[in-house]
Amino acid sequence: MQKFEDFGLSTEMLNALSKKGFEEPSEIQKLVIPELLKERTHLIGQAQTGTGKTAAFGIPILETIEADKTVRALILTPTRELANQVADEIYSLKGEKNLKVLAVYGGASIENQIKKLKSGVDIVVGTPGRVMDLMRKKILKVDQLDYFVLDEADEMLNMGFLEDIEAILEKTNDEKKMLFFSATIPKAIMAIAKKFMPEHKLLKVEKKELTTNLTEQIYYEVKQEDKFEALCRVLDYEQDFYGIVFCRTKSEVDDVTNKLKARNYDAECIHGDITQVLRQKALDLFKKKILTILVATDVAARGIDVSNLTHVINYSIPQEAESYVHRIGRTGRAGQKGIAITFVTPREASKLAQIKRITKTDIKREHIPNVEEILE
Ligand code: ADP
Ligand code: MG
């Protein structure tokens, strides 16, 4: 078995890792870390959500760049939350090393970001729009990179960032290493990989199973107009509910959250139209378990690092099997059992069948808890 000690990491890094409680490298880390420490290759790293991809690229970046207040690593993420989360994870791994890590994204003061960049930053994590803004202002220089990282590459393309990514790449220096990380590798990713890095390694952790067997998967057949009642029943029935309620649209998220609040449930929501400050506030409360019900869209919740949820509720059935897997992957982690409940309207039966087929899992029908059971 490979240990972090086997990679020849600095004592500082080993200390930071043990402080974080990382006992041994994850599968993707075992593949990526030695590769990046040893050779200058471009690479694509593929592994499921929650498998530690951030540290897989973060550790080698921290170990190999000079702290010279020049931007040596640029990491692009699809959302502000992920920019913060990745920056935090890298920051927490840097130990005593005098490296500056900065997250840049829209919806937060550009002046502050400019001030920090001017004072010298080594690693920038950002969303494409703000990165381009700062490049245009000639505040952010990307011509001395050692690393260019595309995190959640599949999601970046889903969100239509291809042109932005290309525009940013045009301005970068040739010598950098390019690293793409993603849970899935759709054709579009292979296409841009081919264009920008004809030679690259593909390091992939095969999915053992699409879904974890620590997560019990059930569904309720419920009419659209009865969904909210069904949700309340679940919330009333479950003693220690700590979960995310996934909705299809922003307006559905708002609607469900408002109705929950009106009934005195302690719920908050996150989606793209909510200000950064409020989203972060909701997330912080949720991570601390002060808030136990979070209502969200797929995009807002994508990659958000909360594990050990007791429940994932698919208030709206996801359109893709992939997103079903992403959603329910938030439960059943670290050896704790979780439950994924999907609300299926009669018209969505075929969608459910498709998800079962692709994920090769049995999602069992159960009845919605009735009032007697809740009172028990
Ligand atoms: P991904 O990007 O693959 O979805 P993350 O990088 O966000 O996954 O990591 C998911 C969680 O696992 C984070 O809380 C991270 O700190 C933790 N983690 C990463 N590597 C390890 C490890 N080797 N041991 C324990 N926890 C880890
Ligand atoms: Mg990630």
Side-chain angles (χ1 to χ4, degrees):
M1 194 196 303
Q2 265 174 308
K3 298 203 178 79
F4 281 119
E5 285 79 5
D6 302 334
F7 298 147
L9 300 172
S10 64
T11 316
E12 274 172 338
M13 177 59 76
L14 291 174
N15 287 341
L17 288 166
S18 87
K19 212 163 160 190
K20 268 190 82 71
F22 288 15
E23 286 171 7
E24 50 174 84
S26 68
E27 293 304 312
I28 190 73
Q29 290 164 3
K30 285 182 192 169
L31 294 175
V32 170
I33 296 171
E35 187 64 38
L36 286 180
L37 291 177
K38 168 177 96 213
E39 265 188 275
R40 301 235 135 205
T41 47
H42 300 310
L43 71 82
I44 302 182
Q46 180 184 9
Q48 275 165 279
T49 301
T51 53
K53 294 191 288 297
T54 316
F57 61 79
I59 292 170
I61 289 177
L62 288 166
E63 287 288 83
T64 55
I65 63 171
E66 294 289 326
D68 60 0
K69 299 200 165 182
T70 306
V71 179
R72 297 292 181 189
L74 175 64
I75 301 158
L76 297 182
T77 66
T79 64
R80 308 154 182 191
E81 282 79 9
L82 280 168
N84 268 324
Q85 194 173 297
V86 168
D88 286 350
E89 178 92 346
I90 293 180
Y91 184 83
S92 74
L93 288 168
K94 83 176 181 59
E96 307 289 301
K97 222 171 166 182
N98 190 24
L99 285 165
K100 294 272 182 284
V101 187
L102 178 68
V104 299
Y105 42 81
S109 152
I110 196 164
E111 284 75 28
N112 274 340
Q113 295 169 5
I114 291 175
K115 214 161 93 193
K116 288 190 179 135
L117 280 166
K118 281 188 170 161
S119 73
V121 170
D122 304 278
I123 301 174
V124 170
V125 188
T127 50
R130 182 53 62 93
V131 163
M132 291 208 296
D133 269 359
L134 291 162
M135 283 166 62
R136 268 187 234 111
K137 291 189 195 301
K138 310 229 181 297
I139 304 290
L140 172 58
K141 300 208 173 64
V142 296
D143 55 358
Q144 301 207 56
L145 298 180
D146 289 333
Y147 297 94
F148 172 90
V149 184
L150 210 55
D151 193 24
E152 306 269 355
D154 52 357
E155 195 60 21
M156 300 276 289
L157 297 190
N158 280 343
M159 290 176 69
F161 283 135
L162 178 60
E163 279 180 21
D164 291 359
I165 295 165
E166 295 198 345
I168 295 167
L169 269 172
E170 299 291 338
K171 301 270 187 276
T172 59
N173 51 315
D174 289 339
E175 306 77 29
K176 72 200 172 291
K177 250 186 241 185
M178 274 189 272
L179 319 174
F180 290 7
F181 281 85
S182 203
T184 61
I185 310 276
K187 285 201 188 82
I189 293 192
M190 289 317 284
I192 74 158
K194 244 185 173 159
K195 181 164 168 193
F196 288 99
M197 43 185 201
E199 277 180 47
H200 64 260
K201 283 212 166 132
L202 176 62
L203 300 178
K204 181 171 166 178
V205 175
E206 292 294 341
K207 290 181 190 167
K208 291 192 182 72
E209 292 161 71
L210 268 165
T211 53
T212 149
N213 53 18
L214 279 169
T215 302
E216 186 187 340
Q217 301 174 56
I218 62 172
Y219 77 94
Y220 297 153
E221 196 172 290
V222 54
K223 292 200 201 102
Q224 186 62 36
E225 61 267 32
D226 296 333
K227 279 186 179 178
F228 185 70
E229 267 326 303
L231 175 63
C232 293
R233 296 264 189 90
V234 174
L235 295 175
D236 294 343
Y237 180 68
E238 300 296 344
Q239 306 291 324
D240 299 305
F241 186 96
Y242 177 50
I244 302 182
V245 179
F246 282 99
C247 297
R248 185 166 306 158
T249 61
K250 295 170 194 169
S251 67
E252 188 171 55
V253 167
D254 283 334
D255 182 47
V256 170
T257 313
N258 290 337
K259 284 199 222 143
L260 284 172
K261 284 183 176 170
R263 290 227 204 157
N264 290 320
Y265 289 100
D266 197 10
E268 286 297 340
C269 62
I270 52 168
H271 64 58
D273 289 348
I274 292 170
T275 65
Q276 170 63 15
V277 176
L278 287 178
R279 280 205 262 176
Q280 198 60 49
K281 204 170 137 198
L283 270 177
D284 288 344
L285 289 174
F286 189 63
K287 280 191 181 171
K288 290 184 188 141
K289 300 197 185 178
I290 295 167
L291 175 76
T292 55
I293 309 169
L294 189 69
V295 188
T297 54
D298 279 312
V299 170
R302 173 84 191 239
I304 293 299
D305 172 30
V306 273
S307 48
N308 297 334
L309 298 181
T310 60
H311 285 75
V312 163
I313 309 250
N314 293 315
Y315 193 86
S316 278
I317 192 167
Q319 294 306 297
E320 310 287 339
E322 268 304 332
S323 94
Y324 178 83
V325 175
H326 277 303
R327 289 181 181 186
I328 77 159
R330 298 323 192 325
T331 67
R333 284 202 198 164
Q336 293 189 8
K337 230 175 155 39
I339 305 182
I341 304 174
T342 303
F343 290 181
V344 183
T345 64
R347 293 173 56 185
E348 291 165 337
S350 63
K351 188 96 248 156
L352 177 74
Q354 188 193 2
I355 291 175
K356 281 196 208 174
R357 185 162 33 79
I358 297 175
T359 59
K360 299 197 177 65
T361 44
D362 187 22
I363 305 171
K364 290 197 191 70
R365 176 163 180 193
E366 292 210 355
H367 72 270
I368 299 165
N370 57 39
V371 177
E372 290 74 43
E373 287 169 320
I374 292 168
L375 293 176
E376 255 170 27

